[in-house]
Amino acid sequence: MAAGLALALAAAAPADAQTFAALPSVASVAQPTGAAKPIAAWVTFCQGYAAECAVDRAEPARISLTPALWSTIVAVNKRVNKSVQAMTDQDHLGTPDRWDLAEDGIGDCEDFQLLKRHLLAAAGLPKRAMRMTVVIDEKGEGHAVLTLITDRGDLVLDNKTSQILPWHRTGYVFVKRESQEATAWVSLGGVSSPVTTANR
């Protein structure tokens, strides 16, 4: 059902969608520099949603983008950004940071990205190439985005914008992301690691 939803979203993509032809031709990738400590709320999330955190090393480590896949990615990104109501976990649930799939239609940054990954994986994209990523945003706060590791470079899905940008054009400081090799995290060289990703 989720696969059908994602494909239907792609078919309904608006005419102003980002075009496949506009993607960078030179791939820019964020290089992991070693192991990193995971966000505590991610650890709790993985206890309840083990399949969402599992790494299948038989899956491709990169997404080979095609115009059809790109349309699906753009459509899912926009639809989730429009359909989920942004609210901090503190305001919504009375807790500083909790990761989930925005089952009640409300969530903060990581919930948007987890739902996007869930829908994109259901549409056939390799989860191993879609990594939850912690950054420091323009306000100096912890923020979560979804990095798609592709043959056109590392591309970022964000709930603050529906524009899908190469990682180095977001303006964020990249701190760490989920490993592609194990249920763990790797450093991306950012000097300060937030304790939570609690902003909207």
Side-chain angles (χ1 to χ4, degrees):
M1 180 174 140
L5 170 64
L7 293 174
L9 291 174
D16 66 347
Q18 291 179 271
T19 64
F20 180 73
L23 286 172
S25 56
V26 177
S28 176
V29 298
Q31 292 291 347
T33 60
K37 183 178 179 181
I39 294 285
W42 175 85
V43 174
T44 303
F45 169 77
C46 292
Q47 291 168 352
Y49 297 82
E52 295 293 328
C53 297
V55 174
D56 180 356
R57 294 185 64 190
E59 281 191 326
R62 287 193 317 170
I63 298 164
S64 295
L65 286 174
T66 64
L69 277 183
W70 179 244
S71 293
T72 298
I73 292 165
V74 169
V76 168
N77 187 53
K78 286 188 175 184
R79 177 61 60 89
V80 172
N81 282 356
K82 287 180 180 178
S83 65
V84 175
Q85 179 186 346
M87 185 181 297
T88 66
D89 290 327
Q90 191 65 54
D91 290 342
H92 178 210
L93 303 165
T95 187
D97 199 18
R98 190 182 97 181
W99 291 35
D100 62 36
L101 295 172
E103 285 93 342
D104 62 357
I106 300 171
D108 64 359
C109 54
E110 71 277 348
D111 309 321
F112 280 81
Q113 315 326 326
L114 288 165
L115 179 56
K116 291 172 191 177
R117 179 168 71 180
H118 180 79
L119 292 172
L120 290 170
L125 279 76
K127 195 180 338 167
R128 184 181 178 205
M130 300 185 286
R131 301 287 80 196
M132 291 296 294
T133 305
V134 172
V135 301
I136 303 297
D137 71 4
E138 73 285 355
K139 299 176 185 175
E141 298 176 348
H143 181 53
V145 297
L146 182 63
T147 299
L148 304 189
I149 300 163
T150 83
D151 58 356
R152 305 292 282 268
D154 290 357
L155 305 175
V156 171
L157 277 61
D158 194 352
N159 59 299
K160 293 187 179 192
T161 176
S162 287
Q163 287 290 307
I164 299 170
L165 297 173
W167 73 281
H168 63 285
R169 287 186 46 212
T170 61
Y172 297 151
V173 175
F174 281 68
V175 178
K176 56 190 175 183
R177 74 178 178 212
E178 291 173 302
S179 170
Q180 292 188 284
E181 306 304 321
T183 306
W185 284 67
V186 292
S187 174
L188 296 173
V191 292
S192 58
S193 179
V195 175
T196 66
T197 55
N199 78 51
R200 292 188 296 180

